[in-house]
Amino acid sequence: DGLDGPFDCETFCVEDPEVVPDFAPVRTGMSRLTQAQYRRILTDAFGELDFDTALEADEGTAEFSTHGAAQVTTSSRGVEQYRDAAMSLAGQILERRDQYAVLAECAPASVDDPCIDAVVRAFGSTLFRRELSAEEVQRYARIVGAAGSERELLNTGLRYMIAGLLQSPNFLYAPPFTERDEDRGIERYTGEAMATRLSLLIWDRAPDAALLEAAQSGELDTPQGLAGQTRRLLDHEYARDFAARFFMESWHIDDLEETDKVVSRYPEWSAERLEDFREEMRLVIRALTWEQDGDLLDIFDGRQTFANGRLAEFYGLAGSDGETFERVDLDEHRYGLLTSGAVIAANSASNRSTPTERGVFVLERLLCENLAAPPSDALEEGTEELAAIEPGDERGFIMERLERPQCGGCHQTIDPLGMVFDDFNSVGRFRQGEDQVGALGSEPYANVGELAADLREDPASSACISRRLYNFVAAHPAQPSETRPILDATETFRDSAHSFRQLLIAIVTSDGFRFADPEEDR
């Protein structure tokens, strides 16, 4: 009943492979809004604003952005930055008070003016993504009166009240509120918590009125209700690049920067080229997952891509011209996204092709195999030796490294697999006959097409997509007690002809997404 492919033995192996551990919820904490979510939510709520105050950076060292948001803490300096930003934004909102009905009608003459409570309720429910309690309304309303009882001072108080809402953890974080599920005897996320988690995940913004209403009605307390709302969110334009966001993080495309290549060696590398690569990947994945409910494994062996004139010329493809990206046929050298400029460049050094990096990409990112870290001294020695070699002269070094006892064990698997991609240089240009490392004589595939076909048929590749998407959605590395939800989601993925939509629905309706251990210190 296990995955038909490599298991992550540190996480998923059990003594009896026929036995899957019973599900148990994992501990969870609060996730802070990313900077993109912060700006997007406020823009949706208040229109265009000037975000002129620097904020503390997102956590960028975690495997996924969702993991970083769940791990990050806010420093004392970060608290000050949120305060300064809140005061600036609150001032801008008051300057355009006529644009917000509840505020346009509020010119309080006394601290008891009922319009103050109305503003707190309206703005608070928007920012907190739930209804405020009576005590919360009173707390923020008192801020208005603390500035004084004169009209001018009351207006100043309104600014401080709005700034207070903007600094609240209820806005800046997604609190993991839970309640007891009496049937299961464990803690379940509340409907309001689920609404926020679901919307931040799929839309990267706050839940809309329909999702909050579903939370209040109890619809999000059941897998059926969650599935229905997930389908609705996925149909919306806001979700069109959700799958691309996941793959760009999973395959480390987001790590690519303009400065990552030596331009003197690769003059075709530029910020424009990099954005073309990213747009290609976005459009391919969008077409497979949002415009249609296609076979996601086409990312391995699909025979078409999207290109504008620049990218088509770079790839040597026909059928596209100008700035507009159009669907074009790939030639016999390229397959799906495996040979896209984004993937090749993300798995190449700055001044040379790197079979090792490309082999690691296939094994770790596409098959979820755990590779042992190289000994630190061997890694340092190998890095120095490779740096001293002229680009294009790596073959001898690689052949010699395969014979080293401390290196050959891993590199006999990694390097020949990476050599399958050696027809492409560091920035993704096809270069057959130019500047190649040369055949090692032990490649498992004759070309990328054979590898792509094997990835489509290998159950480990679909299991890996499922497992990594689960990690992304759950906002933490999966634990052994979450094996069952992952296995079930993988089965759904395969039975649905590799539908990304069905895979995501299976994950968000699973016990792993619905239940939590709330005992984490916060």
Side-chain angles (χ1 to χ4, degrees), residues 198-274:
L198 201 62
S199 186
L200 289 179
L201 173 70
I202 299 175
W203 282 359
D204 219 21
R205 62 212 317 146
D208 63 0
L211 191 56
L212 291 174
E213 183 178 345
Q216 293 166 2
S217 70
E219 184 179 346
L220 302 187
D221 296 341
T222 68
Q224 296 79 10
L226 266 176
Q229 285 297 321
T230 301
R231 292 188 187 96
R232 183 181 70 82
L233 266 60
L234 286 172
D235 286 339
H236 198 283
E237 184 180 12
Y238 291 160
R240 66 180 184 173
D241 289 329
F242 166 71
R245 179 159 56 94
F246 160 67
F247 276 103
M248 284 187 175
E249 292 189 23
S250 184
W251 290 3
H252 288 187
I253 309 303
D254 273 354
D255 294 342
L256 269 177
E257 297 181 359
E258 181 185 356
T259 57
D260 282 350
K261 306 298 175 185
V262 177
V263 178
S264 60
R265 178 164 175 77
Y266 303 108
E268 62 266 65
W269 182 256
S270 66
E272 185 178 59
R273 177 77 64 206
L274 176 54

Side-chain angles (χ1 to χ4, degrees), residues 77-358:
R77 174 57 181 153
V79 171
E80 294 175 355
Q81 290 174 311
Y82 279 122
R83 178 202 62 202
D84 294 343
M87 290 300 296
S88 172
L89 295 168
Q92 295 177 52
I93 291 168
L94 280 175
E95 288 174 358
R96 58 180 77 168
R97 63 193 304 157
D98 291 344
Q99 297 181 18
Y100 318 109
V102 69
L103 193 57
E105 299 171 1
C106 187
S110 71
V111 295
D112 298 322
D113 194 313
C115 81
I116 297 175
D117 285 3
V119 173
V120 172
R121 287 194 183 90
F123 284 10
S125 62
T126 296
L127 296 173
F128 291 6
R129 305 171 288 278
R130 60 174 175 80
E131 295 297 324
L132 272 64
S133 68
E135 192 277 331
E136 287 175 319
V137 173
Q138 292 175 8
R139 183 193 316 156
Y140 284 98
R142 284 197 294 269
I143 294 175
V144 180
S149 58
E150 297 178 12
R151 185 180 298 275
E152 182 177 347
L153 294 176
L154 289 171
N155 280 324
T156 299
L158 284 172
R159 180 184 181 190
Y160 277 91
M161 180 271 290
I162 296 170
L165 293 171
L166 292 171
Q167 295 174 76
S168 171
N170 288 285
F171 167 60
L172 296 174
Y173 290 81
F177 297 127
T178 62
E179 58 192 5
R180 191 73 170 174
D181 186 297
E182 297 301 335
D183 293 335
R184 300 286 295 273
I186 53 180
E187 291 293 307
R188 179 187 67 215
Y189 285 105
T190 65
E192 290 171 335
M194 287 296 288
T196 292
R197 296 175 71 229
L198 201 62
S199 186
L200 289 179
L201 173 70
I202 299 175
W203 282 359
D204 219 21
R205 62 212 317 146
D208 63 0
L211 191 56
L212 291 174
E213 183 178 345
Q216 293 166 2
S217 70
E219 184 179 346
L220 302 187
D221 296 341
T222 68
Q224 296 79 10
L226 266 176
Q229 285 297 321
T230 301
R231 292 188 187 96
R232 183 181 70 82
L233 266 60
L234 286 172
D235 286 339
H236 198 283
E237 184 180 12
Y238 291 160
R240 66 180 184 173
D241 289 329
F242 166 71
R245 179 159 56 94
F246 160 67
F247 276 103
M248 284 187 175
E249 292 189 23
S250 184
W251 290 3
H252 288 187
I253 309 303
D254 273 354
D255 294 342
L256 269 177
E257 297 181 359
E258 181 185 356
T259 57
D260 282 350
K261 306 298 175 185
V262 177
V263 178
S264 60
R265 178 164 175 77
Y266 303 108
E268 62 266 65
W269 182 256
S270 66
E272 185 178 59
R273 177 77 64 206
L274 176 54
E275 183 49 38
D276 284 347
F277 286 167
R278 286 180 171 149
E279 183 66 5
E280 175 195 16
M281 189 166 183
R282 279 191 291 265
L283 292 175
V284 169
I285 296 176
R286 183 188 301 172
L288 283 174
T289 63
W290 188 74
E291 294 175 0
Q292 57 181 306
D293 191 12
D295 185 337
L296 185 62
L297 298 193
D298 282 356
I299 60 176
F300 298 138
D301 63 356
R303 302 308 303 138
Q304 292 185 319
T305 192
F306 288 85
N308 59 9
R310 285 188 306 271
L311 192 58
E313 180 182 10
F314 181 81
Y315 285 167
L317 304 177
S320 181
D321 192 13
E323 291 292 325
T324 303
F325 277 76
E326 300 173 357
R327 191 186 294 269
V328 298
D329 293 330
L330 291 171
D331 62 21
E332 69 274 18
H333 306 301
R334 296 186 186 270
Y335 293 84
L337 290 173
L338 284 182
T339 53
S340 65
V343 170
I344 295 296
N347 294 283
S348 302
S350 62
N351 67 336
R352 67 179 78 239
S353 62
T354 44
T356 300
E357 286 190 37
R358 295 170 182 183

Side-chain angles (χ1 to χ4, degrees), residues 33-65:
L33 298 181
T34 65
Q35 291 197 30
Q37 290 168 345
Y38 176 91
R39 291 179 170 85
R40 194 172 290 122
I41 289 171
L42 291 178
T43 300
D44 288 346
F46 301 110
E48 292 299 325
L49 297 166
D50 184 3
F51 295 96
D52 55 0
T53 304
L55 297 177
E56 191 165 67
D58 299 332
E59 168 56 54
T61 62
E63 173 73 6
F64 291 113
S65 61

